[in-house]
Amino acid sequence: MPTKDDNSDKEKCLDLFLKIGLDERTAKNTIANNKVTNNLTSVIHEAGVTDGCSRTVGNLIYTVATKYPGNALSHRPTLLQYVVSSKVKTTAQLDAALAFLATTGSENLDLNKFEEACGVGIEVSTEDIEHAVNAVFEENKASILELRYRTNVGELLGHVRKTLPWADAKAVKQLADAKLYELLGDKTAADNEKPSKKKKEKPAKVEDKAAPVATPEKAPEEDLNPFLIFPNPEENMKVHTEVPFSDGTILRCSNTKALLDKHLKATGGKVLSRFPPEPNGYLHIGHAKAMFIDFGLAKDRDGGCYLRYDDTNPEAEKKEYIDHIEEIVQWMGWKPFKITYTSDYFQELYELAVELIRRGCAYVDHQTPDEIKEYREKKLNSPWRDRPVSESLKLFEDMRRGVIEEGKATLRMKQDMQSDNYNMYDLIAYRIKFTPHPHAGDKWCIYPSYDYAHCIVDSLENITHSLCTLEFETRRASYYWLLHALGIYQPYVWEYSRLNISNAVMSKRKLNRLVTEKWVDGWDDPRLMTLAGLRRRGMTSTAINSFVRGIGITRSDGTLISVARLEYHVREELNKTAPRTMVVLDPLKVVITNLEANSAIEVDAKKWPDAQADDPSAFYKVPFSNVVYIERTDFRMQDSKDYYGLAPGKSVILRYAFPIKCTEVILADDNETILEIRAEYDPSKKTKPKGVLHWVAQPSPEVDPFKVEVRLFERLFLSENPAELDNWLGDLNPHSKVVIPNAFGLSSLRDAKLGDSFQFERLGYFVVDQDSTPEKLVFNRTVTLKDSYSKSGK
């Protein structure tokens, strides 16, 4: 729950943003994003406009805050002075300036080249703009007169920009609109008409069919290569990041040529990435994105990806989780270059910790966890921070030997307690835990922290690209500080946005609570966004990977992806791979009175919607007898124009079979409950009703159809973003799982095996569940047939 101080800070920021001319909506949206708020506040102070500025300058400052390249932060104050002094005063100039600075990075800034690149001092008069606009319109006059107001004005403006790149875009647009009106006058009725779509003519039939010529189209998102943004390993000598210290110095982290040459010799110049899950729970769909990026980059560059278990906390890790992770990685279609454990490197990590102490970059601390927290909040140094190196070395050895009690000492890195970055406040490197390790046994009683071990193991394994989610961005400083302090190879680090799915929780803590408190039926409950749950629900790894690829590898944080987008990709695949069949969930008996009780007619049903008549394998036989069952919801006593089901005196078609007409309704003693329907079928099929129903027939007189259990799953949470709620467990959907124990299915389903998927016509896609027995099959609904996502646009 936000505190009064939080609200007060937000009000101050809102006031500050309004002062620089942001409109109220933009300002409020900015406040909702902590990262952009912090960036914009810093930029406003750097620019010296806390008392306000013109809207034009304010909008440019906002662009600097949101688009400034992270590799050139040292030059940001310079750019802001150009903006405030109106030397850089248009969006075109600012875009050019940002592009120039991104290329320059942290190198010395050549102001002459900078000013030339972004048009500083170039004045474009109204006369210049008029002349350029007139020239473009004259050149394209014939086309404009023909197309009139359907002319692509954007293309015309693009031609003007080529001639006058530093012209004010708003002024160019205004003059172009005026010129268009001068040339064409008022819009006519014809201009306002929507262009009619020409009906495609059918090509004449020819005996020798030519191969179709593909029309080049813009590649869909999934077909673009998302890995082009990453540099090659030989480029790993550039400055990775800058770490500013509170004393005003800046550490520019990069590899020396000697370190990079040694690295490239060890790897042969190949890309090496790593997927480093912590084995303290089951993997969820967010890990699917991480796998796609880590394994996908290695595959794209013909390199390798380590599956590395981040097992530095023996209390939270289980063999069950380790086995699960390896199995799921393989199910997702990825093959590790090598499977390793952080614990494989415990000896090297220990030796490097000793070296860190020797270099004066680490010390043994005796503060309690609460004291460490308090001192960090107050930016106070530990009382033991400046103890002699020899003393820390002896105490660290005592920690390793187990002669110091648990909780009585930690090894901390000596970083910068006055830094603006909380992750530079002397992070813990080692702590004492008298707990056997599931992989390393009882050899160790001190265990490294994630902040200490992760970057070092990346270096030891010669990782070229260390890719992680954006919440680790603030840890980049400590990552490189430690590698620099030890003088070892530094991988390229890049952060991407987390995958957040609507109507679900993704944190392992919340997932663990759902499982342990039995709100769901285990880690593989089909309602969870765990990969085991999605697999059990019938979603395929290929569909999940397609979904992840479509989202892209972006840095835009805080985006909530609709679960409908995932379901779209699942439907796209299952529509091509899941054969059709018929199942009735809530059976209502229909007796065909003009068909003999002991007779049955076999009809051909399609496994696939595009089944060809000459392909017997695309069809299956369905018995049609005098007793069939339809869905109870497909019958009502009162007919209406917009209703296509069965009603008294009304006809429908039983899919693949015959039209039937309701002739009588048998009611129970309460005169409301419908016991059965009497109907007549039309063997000639001359009747052509609009309604088409799925159905299942009795295989023989007085014998019920094949019974199956069907489980219908809905969203687990009612809200789109339950993680934001204080009482998130109170948002659980009470109808997220509905079990139908006695549905009727076609007898052809008897041979279905675990994992087989089907489309139950008119109902959705279903998969055979692991709870199935020889006596009774259980089907989980994967997704419904209805697709809201594709209708709204991919």
Side-chain angles (χ1 to χ4, degrees):
M1 182 178 290
T3 63
K4 289 183 179 179
D5 289 341
D6 291 337
N7 291 330
S8 175
D9 289 343
K10 287 186 177 181
E11 287 174 8
K12 288 178 183 177
C13 289
L14 181 62
D15 181 58
L16 184 63
F17 298 165
L18 293 174
K19 278 184 180 179
I20 67 166
L22 293 190
D23 63 78
E24 190 171 351
R25 183 180 177 186
T26 302
K28 286 183 175 178
N29 287 341
T30 301
I31 295 295
N33 187 316
N34 290 335
K35 185 178 176 183
V36 178
T37 297
N38 293 336
N39 282 349
L40 183 54
T41 304
S42 299
V43 166
I44 291 171
H45 281 86
E46 274 183 32
V49 292
T50 52
D51 293 329
C53 60
S54 68
R55 174 167 287 191
T56 301
V57 170
N59 286 335
L60 294 176
I61 285 175
Y62 182 84
T63 302
V64 172
T66 54
K67 294 186 177 180
Y68 194 86
N71 66 330
L73 286 173
S74 58
H75 304 311
R76 191 168 72 180
T78 303
L79 172 61
L80 289 169
Q81 289 311 306
Y82 274 85
V83 171
V84 172
S85 63
S86 293
K87 290 180 179 179
V88 171
K89 56 187 176 182
T90 68
T91 52
Q93 283 183 295
L94 183 57
D95 287 343
L98 294 174
F100 182 87
L101 292 171
T103 305
T104 304
S106 60
E107 297 173 7
N108 291 331
L109 181 62
D110 187 325
L111 289 180
N112 291 329
K113 289 183 179 178
F114 170 75
E115 291 185 356
E116 182 183 351
C118 53
V120 172
I122 297 177
E123 295 293 333
V124 182
S125 66
T126 304
E127 290 76 16
D128 293 332
I129 297 173
E130 283 181 352
H131 179 75
V133 169
N134 288 337
V136 169
F137 270 72
E138 188 62 36
E139 186 179 343
N140 295 276
K141 187 174 181 180
S143 172
I144 295 170
L145 290 172
E146 179 185 351
L147 296 171
R148 289 186 59 78
Y149 283 101
R150 294 193 182 93
T151 299
N152 187 338
V153 179
E155 282 188 14
L156 301 179
L157 297 178
H159 292 311
V160 177
R161 279 196 297 272
K162 285 182 181 178
T163 307
L164 299 174
W166 313 122
D168 182 73
K170 189 174 180 181
V172 172
K173 179 69 165 61
Q174 288 173 343
L175 286 170
D177 288 344
K179 186 67 180 176
L180 194 66
Y181 181 78
E182 177 189 322
L183 198 59
L184 303 177
D186 290 328
K187 283 188 177 182
T188 65
D191 290 324
N192 291 320
E193 285 180 8
K194 290 184 178 179
S196 58
K197 293 182 179 179
K198 292 182 179 179
K199 203 170 184 179
K200 291 183 180 179
E201 295 182 7
K202 291 184 179 179
K205 289 185 178 179
V206 289
E207 290 296 320
D208 186 19
K209 292 183 180 178
V213 179
T215 305
E217 294 179 358
K218 184 179 178 181
E221 210 172 2
E222 291 86 346
D223 294 340
L224 300 175
N225 186 341
F227 304 108
L228 296 176
I229 60 174
F230 296 117
N232 291 320
E234 59 269 19
E235 297 177 66
N236 245 357
M237 231 176 84
K238 295 179 180 178
V239 174
H240 293 302
T241 198
E242 295 182 346
V243 182
F245 286 93
S246 55
D247 62 2
T249 60
I250 296 176
L251 171 64
R252 292 179 172 86
C253 300
S254 63
N255 286 309
T256 63
K257 187 175 186 305
L259 275 176
L260 185 61
D261 287 346
K262 181 181 178 183
H263 159 77
L264 293 173
K265 184 177 179 181
T267 63
K270 285 187 174 293
V271 163
L272 287 178
S273 58
R274 84 289 172 272
F275 174 60
E278 187 178 356
N280 62 354
Y282 276 38
L283 300 184
H284 55 64
I285 196 166
H287 294 104
K289 179 174 181 178
M291 278 187 261
F292 175 79
I293 297 173
D294 294 329
F295 285 98
L297 171 63
K299 184 177 180 181
D300 181 74
R301 302 286 178 88
D302 195 26
C305 178
Y306 284 86
L307 167 55
R308 183 205 305 156
Y309 291 104
D310 176 26
D311 58 344
T312 57
N313 184 4
E315 294 173 335
E317 292 141 17
K318 293 181 182 177
K319 181 73 163 54
E320 171 195 353
Y321 300 144
I322 291 172
D323 294 342
H324 156 77
I325 289 169
E326 187 171 345
E327 178 200 348
I328 284 292
V329 167
Q330 291 178 354
W331 177 72
M332 286 297 296
W334 304 115
K335 185 176 181 181
F337 161 68
K338 192 176 181 182
I339 297 175
T340 59
Y341 297 77
T342 296
S343 56
D344 292 338
Y345 302 95
F346 276 177
Q347 184 62 39
E348 292 94 328
L349 289 166
Y350 171 76
E351 291 169 2
L352 286 169
V354 171
E355 179 62 25
L356 198 67
I357 298 171
R358 286 193 179 122
R359 295 187 180 201
C361 296
Y363 62 97
V364 172
D365 188 17
H366 299 295
Q367 288 183 303
T368 65
D370 287 340
E371 288 172 337
I372 290 175
K373 182 182 178 184
E374 180 187 352
Y375 272 56
R376 292 185 83 209
E377 287 173 350
K378 294 178 179 179
K379 290 187 158 189
L380 297 175
N381 288 346
S382 163
W384 289 276
R385 192 174 199 266
D386 296 319
R387 74 190 325 161
V389 167
S390 58
E391 196 174 302
S392 282
L393 284 171
K394 180 183 181 304
L395 288 167
F396 188 52
E397 173 61 15
D398 289 345
M399 287 171 62
R400 185 191 69 80
R401 290 171 47 230
V403 298
I404 298 179
E405 290 179 43
E406 188 170 329
K408 296 295 183 181
T410 58
L411 181 69
R412 293 178 67 183
M413 296 178 265
K414 191 184 288 188
Q415 295 169 302
D416 184 3
M417 289 297 295
Q418 304 305 311
S419 171
D420 291 334
N421 186 340
Y422 188 78
N423 285 294
M424 287 293 286
Y425 293 177
D426 290 10
L427 298 178
I428 291 174
Y430 269 88
R431 66 275 200 221
I432 302 167
K433 285 181 183 291
F434 294 110
T435 305
H437 192 280
H439 187 67
D442 57 2
K443 180 180 178 182
W444 297 91
C445 63
I446 56 170
Y447 293 100
S449 68
Y450 171 89
D451 292 294
Y452 174 78
H454 180 67
C455 56
I456 293 178
V457 178
D458 276 355
S459 179
L460 294 176
E461 290 186 338
N462 273 302
I463 299 303
T464 59
H465 298 73
S466 181
L467 310 173
C468 52
T469 48
L470 274 171
E471 68 262 33
F472 293 97
E473 186 174 21
T474 55
R475 297 189 183 190
R476 186 190 282 205
S478 62
Y479 182 103
Y480 282 119
W481 174 90
L482 180 54
L483 297 182
H484 176 84
L486 290 169
I488 57 179
Y489 162 75
Q490 301 171 21
Y492 169 81
V493 173
W494 196 84
E495 301 89 3
Y496 54 88
S497 60
R498 290 183 58 157
L499 176 52
N500 295 308
I501 302 287
S502 68
N503 303 94
V505 292
M506 305 290 281
S507 84
K508 278 190 180 177
R509 182 181 62 81
K510 286 185 169 69
L511 288 171
N512 190 60
R513 193 169 166 193
L514 286 171
V515 173
T516 55
E517 295 180 11
K518 300 191 183 305
W519 295 99
V520 293
D521 304 325
W523 283 99
D524 64 348
D525 188 298
R527 293 167 290 179
L528 292 179
M529 280 291 153
T530 59
L531 292 171
L534 295 177
R535 175 173 63 175
R536 188 172 176 186
R537 188 160 175 164
M539 296 191 180
T540 63
S541 58
T542 46
I544 295 170
N545 282 327
S546 177
F547 160 70
V548 170
R549 186 185 185 95
I551 292 169
I553 309 174
T554 64
R555 281 178 57 84
S556 54
D557 201 15
T559 304
L560 191 67
I561 305 297
S562 172
V563 68
R565 185 167 181 171
L566 169 63
E567 292 170 345
Y568 163 81
H569 285 276
V570 174
R571 284 190 193 90
E572 283 287 286
E573 179 168 321
L574 292 179
N575 186 47
K576 301 169 186 172
T577 60
R580 276 58 174 166
T581 189
M582 291 191 290
V583 171
V584 175
L585 302 182
D586 188 8
L588 175 60
K589 187 176 182 181
V590 179
V591 178
I592 311 296
T593 56
N594 60 335
L595 184 64
E596 292 183 14
N598 58 355
S599 64
I601 303 170
E602 277 196 335
V603 296
D604 286 327
K606 292 181 178 181
K607 289 183 182 178
W608 314 104
D610 56 353
Q612 301 298 312
D614 58 353
D615 181 8
S617 66
F619 293 84
Y620 64 100
K621 299 293 184 182
V622 179
F624 176 76
S625 64
N626 79 312
V627 176
V628 300
Y629 293 87
I630 63 172
E631 294 287 356
R632 191 168 291 273
T633 53
D634 282 336
F635 180 84
R636 64 168 66 161
M637 293 298 292
Q638 296 296 324
D639 194 13
S640 61
K641 287 184 179 179
D642 58 348
Y643 175 62
Y644 295 100
L646 192 61
K650 187 177 181 180
S651 295
V652 294
I653 295 176
L654 296 182
R655 189 153 177 77
Y656 308 120
F658 303 93
I660 64 169
K661 181 179 181 179
C662 175
T663 56
E664 187 181 358
V665 181
I666 309 299
L667 299 175
D669 293 339
D670 59 8
N671 283 326
E672 288 185 7
T673 307
I674 301 170
L675 297 178
E676 68 178 53
I677 306 297
R678 302 285 170 86
E680 293 181 352
Y681 86 111
D682 175 10
S684 68
K685 299 186 180 180
K686 289 181 180 179
T687 312
K688 301 294 182 184
K690 291 183 179 179
V692 180
L693 308 184
H694 64 283
W695 54 280
V696 174
Q698 280 188 352
S700 57
E702 305 304 322
V703 175
D704 282 341
F706 179 52
K707 285 186 180 179
V708 296
E709 180 177 308
V710 175
R711 297 171 181 175
L712 305 178
F713 296 107
E714 298 289 348
R715 309 281 192 265
L716 183 57
F717 290 92
L718 297 170
S719 301
E720 278 202 339
N721 197 355
E724 288 187 339
L725 303 175
D726 292 333
N727 182 22
W728 58 278
L729 285 171
D731 190 55
L732 283 165
N733 179 3
H735 307 296
S736 61
K737 177 182 178 181
V738 176
V739 178
I740 300 170
N742 293 307
F744 284 165
L746 295 176
S747 56
S748 56
L749 283 171
R750 290 181 187 276
D751 297 328
K753 302 290 190 299
L754 174 63
D756 286 353
S757 289
F758 300 88
Q759 185 197 101
F760 292 177
E761 299 214 29
R762 299 179 66 225
L763 298 178
Y765 295 97
F766 293 77
V767 67
V768 180
D769 184 69
Q770 64 194 32
D771 289 343
S772 296
T773 65
E775 292 75 34
K776 195 171 199 179
L777 287 177
V778 176
F779 288 91
N780 295 331
R781 183 169 67 189
T782 308
V783 285
T784 60
L785 294 179
K786 186 179 179 182
D787 181 5
S788 58
Y789 176 65
S790 62
K791 290 175 184 175
S792 61
K794 273 178 71 176

